[in-house]
Amino acid sequence: MKLNRLTTLSLFAMIALAACGREKVQPAEESADAMLSPAEREAKKVETFKARQAAFADSVLKTAPSTKAVAEKLGKNYSVGNVQLRDSLVKWIERTPQCFKDGKAVDPYLAGTVTFRIHMSVIGSDNVRVQESAWTSQAGTITDKCFNEVAGKWKFPMGAAAQGLYVLQVQFK
């Protein structure tokens, strides 16, 4: 009798498994994404990632302290550079695009704000360096290092500003 019950139960179990094995399972994701091909899903993920990175870059650029705030934090010896200094700095940066390209080679979404310190003496600038920076990733340190290496060769004329320490900011995106 026990053998019949076991045989009957086994038979019912096999029938149940066979019947369930042919059922089509609905995808858990019932959104429009479920109907996309794998390539289309991947493209959508990439676009979503790019949008998130752009929003993050904007937030980093917006939250960077102003040039005036950096000058105040450094002390009364520091001033915000004038327009002529800023324009000269931008020209030097444009002549050395490799610095930002090196950082972008590591992180294609790299963006940030760099504060440069310029010391003006009687004969013009004698020290230009990155004072501080705020980047979206650690790849920005590559850019900072490159700027510090080349900025030693940058010279601003003595008429660009009075003697003193100046800070200027440049944003990269």
Side-chain angles (χ1 to χ4, degrees):
M1 183 104 160
K2 280 189 175 184
L3 189 56
N4 269 344
R5 284 187 186 168
L6 285 176
T7 307
T8 308
L9 285 173
S10 301
L11 183 62
F12 283 134
M14 287 178 21
I15 291 171
L17 286 173
C20 291
R22 290 190 209 148
E23 287 183 16
K24 291 189 177 183
V25 178
Q26 290 286 347
E29 191 179 329
E30 298 217 5
S31 66
D33 289 349
M35 302 307 234
L36 297 175
S37 71
E40 290 170 327
R41 268 190 238 141
E42 191 61 32
K44 189 170 183 177
K45 284 181 186 177
V46 168
E47 289 304 316
T48 303
F49 179 76
K50 284 181 181 180
R52 279 197 324 252
Q53 285 300 106
F56 178 62
D58 290 341
S59 73
V60 168
L61 295 175
K62 288 176 185 173
T63 59
S66 69
T67 311
K68 184 177 179 181
V70 173
E72 289 173 357
K73 178 178 78 172
L74 293 171
K76 62 182 178 180
N77 293 335
Y78 288 83
S79 303
V80 176
N82 60 27
V83 175
Q84 186 179 359
L85 266 181
R86 185 202 62 209
D87 292 346
S88 297
L89 177 64
V90 169
K91 285 181 183 177
W92 280 113
I93 290 170
E94 287 173 351
R95 291 181 195 157
T96 55
Q98 193 58 40
C99 290
F100 189 52
K101 285 181 182 176
D102 290 347
K104 293 250 323 162
V106 175
D107 179 4
Y109 302 102
L110 183 65
T113 302
V114 180
T115 303
F116 289 90
R117 178 193 65 196
I118 301 171
H119 180 258
M120 294 297 289
S121 68
V122 183
I123 58 169
S125 67
D126 60 1
N127 189 320
V128 180
R129 299 210 33 94
V130 172
Q131 179 66 37
E132 63 183 58
S133 60
W135 293 100
T136 54
S137 75
Q138 291 297 315
T141 57
I142 296 168
T143 303
D144 289 346
K145 182 180 177 193
C146 178
F147 279 139
N148 281 330
E149 289 171 0
V150 298
K153 299 172 188 152
W154 297 349
K155 299 296 178 203
F156 299 90
M158 62 183 167
Q163 292 182 43
L165 291 164
Y166 297 94
V167 290
L168 292 164
Q169 285 184 337
V170 179
Q171 290 191 333
F172 297 88
K173 187 167 182 182

